[in-house]
Amino acid sequence: MKKSFVLLFAVVCSTFVFGKVDFLRVMFNHNGDDRATIGWNQVSGDSAVVFWGTEDIPSSRYLEYSNIAHVTTSNIYKGMNNNFVRLVQLRPNTAYYFVIKDSEGISSRYWFRTTPNNEDARLSFVAGGDSRSRRETRRHGFRMVGRLVPHAILFDGDYTDIDTEEKWKLWFEDYKLTYQESDNRIIPIVTTRGNHEGSNKCLTEMFDCPSEHNLYNVTMGGTLVNIICLNTEIAIGYRQKKFLEETLREYERFSWQIPMYHRSCRPHVNWKMKMRQVKLIYRKWIHLFEKYGVKFVLECDSHITKHTWPIVKCKGKQGEDGFIRDDENGIVYAGEGCWGAPLRVPDRIRSWTRDAGSINSFKWIFLDKNELSFRTVDYMNSKEVEHLTDETRFELPKNINIWSPKNGDKVVIKK
Ligand SMILES: [Fe+2]
């Protein structure tokens, strides 16, 4: 009896050897309602194809999947054989299941969900960055993402500290925590470049970013939200300013347009004020945000957490550092990146700073057409936090630590 069981097990294993694919990722690079890109590292084997569909079918029955997709593009970068399959014409708010079959075997089954194509929907995002060097800390952050099941991760740059093959492999290893404990459900990521990414290729080669300059936008929820990914590591004016203005104008009818960029316009760590981008962002971008009705901006880079009151640009001695609080017309700037990088102390607090602190954290955002709200999640107790589901994702899970500074733990921005 025992012998026959062992024999059966060996036969099954030889028939369905797991393929050598690793570092699975899913990106929203255009429109999360109907398109997604699946990426992975092909460790060995070749001729990979993705079997996919809306039915949850185990790897062993991969032939029952209704669709097959061939690799759209691949490259060798950072010691990985990065393969991508771009899926288009997907159904909104739909779970897609897939396995990767190659010359050596079949992968585990993974899945992701598209966003609803509905401006009356409500969306959840986790937004943050600077995951650089403290692995245990960033692993907590990634695990927490899996527990909160946001519609997407908005990642605002500085993935690793020194941009080497080894560091990137560790980053992708840690990113797996967003899905390993959650039935292999991969939360799609929207990526932005930081100053620790040595070139724009980090995004184009590892996340299939659709722009060689890392300037692109991603819509979700029909006309609900447009995320504008900017790049503070290239010229701030010229082409980028043109892209920004054209994009803001083209999507002006959207309920929310959220610019996301790495270097902060007004860092809350004093020495960061010396960065050349500080003046340039202020001069080239802020008036465009204000002209086109932006209400919320994501920044990163200083390794602290902060959010401002709604503020507008002002001249002369009227405000502080060129901004003044304006609750009616102002923009809330949130950031500034502490997803594993060494924490700093916010030592440049202005009259319009709502709150700032030194916390390992990311922003957790809910939005619908009337209101955008966010909290700051201290993710360090990720293992104790309850798993949310699609049905409960707008509730606070048991044991979550929400940062509670003096001006309140929840920021609400009305349309
Ligand atoms: Fe940075």
Side-chain angles (χ1 to χ4, degrees):
M1 182 68 187
K2 234 182 196 175
K3 258 188 188 167
S4 60
F5 177 77
V6 170
L7 190 65
L8 182 68
F9 184 72
V11 168
V12 169
C13 287
S14 64
T15 311
F16 300 113
V17 176
F18 280 118
K20 299 256 176 52
V21 299
D22 202 358
F23 301 158
L24 272 284
R25 53 209 106 137
V26 173
M27 281 67 63
F28 284 158
N29 281 335
H30 300 275
N31 180 347
D33 303 351
D34 63 12
R35 297 170 75 170
T37 300
I38 298 169
W40 69 91
N41 176 26
Q42 187 74 42
V43 180
S44 66
D46 53 33
S47 314
V49 286
V50 172
F51 287 79
W52 63 282
T54 54
E55 240 185 288
D56 187 4
I57 299 167
S59 299
S60 57
R61 291 174 20 221
Y62 68 94
L63 287 171
E64 293 173 36
Y65 276 97
S66 51
N67 304 285
I68 301 176
H70 294 271
V71 171
T72 317
T73 181
S74 66
N75 65 71
I76 305 288
Y77 192 70
K78 300 292 182 198
M80 293 180 282
N81 180 1
N82 299 289
N83 284 246
F84 298 102
V85 165
R86 297 176 194 149
L87 301 180
V88 296
Q89 295 183 312
L90 302 177
R91 280 193 245 142
N93 199 19
T94 301
Y96 282 91
Y97 302 87
F98 65 94
V99 299
I100 303 164
K101 159 105 175 63
D102 60 28
S103 58
E104 292 186 354
I106 307 147
S107 75
S108 304
R109 182 282 273 138
Y110 298 87
W111 68 289
F112 67 92
R113 184 179 279 280
T114 52
T115 43
N117 177 9
N118 178 1
E119 64 194 29
D120 293 318
R122 197 172 185 208
L123 298 179
S124 163
F125 300 119
V126 160
D130 288 288
S131 55
R132 279 168 35 176
S133 44
R134 293 181 304 153
R135 286 191 68 203
E136 262 325 290
T137 307
R138 85 168 166 216
R139 285 168 68 82
H140 278 297
F142 282 132
R143 186 184 293 105
M144 186 68 93
V145 168
R147 309 243 165 159
L148 300 181
V149 283
H151 286 90
I153 305 168
L154 310 180
F155 201 88
D156 203 5
D158 280 5
Y159 303 70
T160 74
D161 50 358
I162 53 170
D163 197 29
T164 59
E165 287 183 20
E166 188 198 352
K167 294 284 184 162
W168 272 101
K169 286 179 180 170
L170 294 175
W171 189 90
F172 279 110
E173 186 63 37
D174 294 346
Y175 172 71
K176 287 198 261 184
L177 279 170
T178 60
Y179 53 84
Q180 265 174 340
E181 298 175 1
S182 312
D183 185 32
N184 279 345
R185 177 186 187 160
I186 304 181
I187 306 295
I189 190 167
V190 178
T191 56
T192 303
R193 182 185 163 194
N195 58 298
H196 284 259
E197 282 71 71
S199 87
N200 294 340
K201 282 195 163 183
C202 288
L203 264 58
T204 56
E205 307 302 280
M206 289 188 281
F207 299 100
D208 200 34
C209 174
S211 157
E212 63 174 313
H213 307 292
N214 298 170
L215 302 175
Y216 67 113
N217 69 296
V218 179
T219 61
M220 287 173 270
T223 56
L224 189 53
V225 64
N226 180 37
I227 310 291
I228 306 175
C229 299
L230 300 171
N231 184 352
T232 53
E233 307 318 304
I234 60 172
I236 301 294
Y238 310 102
R239 177 193 292 121
Q240 180 154 208
K241 189 180 167 207
K242 189 164 175 274
F243 161 80
L244 173 61
E245 177 144 32
E246 283 173 359
T247 306
L248 285 165
R249 192 186 300 129
E250 185 180 344
Y251 294 86
E252 204 176 357
R253 70 187 191 287
F254 275 53
S255 300
W256 302 94
Q257 296 208 72
I258 305 179
M260 170 165 74
Y261 51 87
H262 182 71
R263 297 282 202 182
S264 177
C265 170
R266 288 292 180 263
H268 280 57
V269 167
N270 195 42
W271 68 266
K272 287 268 177 189
M273 282 294 285
K274 290 193 207 107
M275 297 295 150
R276 66 184 166 80
Q277 290 93 342
V278 166
K279 267 189 201 146
L280 289 167
I281 295 170
Y282 185 80
R283 278 216 307 269
K284 309 279 185 193
W285 294 355
I286 304 300
H287 69 283
L288 295 176
F289 298 165
E290 294 180 355
K291 179 176 172 186
Y292 290 98
V294 168
K295 289 282 175 192
F296 179 66
V297 166
L298 287 166
E299 303 183 320
C300 226
D301 190 45
S302 305
H303 313 174
I304 54 104
T305 192
K306 72 104 192 272
H307 38 263
T308 70
W309 293 107
I311 53 175
V312 293
K313 243 179 134 165
C314 69
K315 284 197 178 114
K317 289 183 182 160
Q318 217 188 350
E320 196 178 353
D321 280 343
F323 282 101
I324 193 165
R325 182 172 170 178
D326 181 338
D327 287 352
E328 204 167 316
N329 305 304
I331 297 172
V332 172
Y333 294 77
E336 293 174 20
C338 31
W339 195 325
L343 285 179
R344 299 194 181 108
V345 175
D347 58 358
R348 183 130 177 181
I349 308 294
R350 285 84 168 190
S351 51
W352 40 257
T353 302
R354 177 164 166 163
D355 286 299
S358 203
I359 315 268
N360 296 306
S361 60
F362 52 59
K363 302 295 185 194
W364 187 26
I365 303 162
F366 298 158
L367 65 82
D368 61 30
K369 65 183 175 189
N370 301 313
E371 184 181 291
L372 181 155
S373 66
F374 68 89
R375 297 177 172 92
T376 303
V377 176
D378 172 350
Y379 49 65
M380 291 303 285
N381 69 333
S382 64
K383 287 180 182 165
E384 293 145 33
V385 173
E386 178 194 14
H387 279 269
L388 295 180
T389 64
D390 285 344
E391 288 69 40
T392 62
R393 60 156 51 116
F394 297 107
E395 296 170 12
L396 291 184
K398 277 193 200 93
N399 298 330
I400 192 162
N401 282 336
I402 302 290
W403 183 49
S404 297
K406 68 175 192 293
N407 289 303
D409 61 3
K410 185 179 170 191
V411 176
V412 177
I413 305 167
K414 298 277 183 198
K415 204 45 206 146

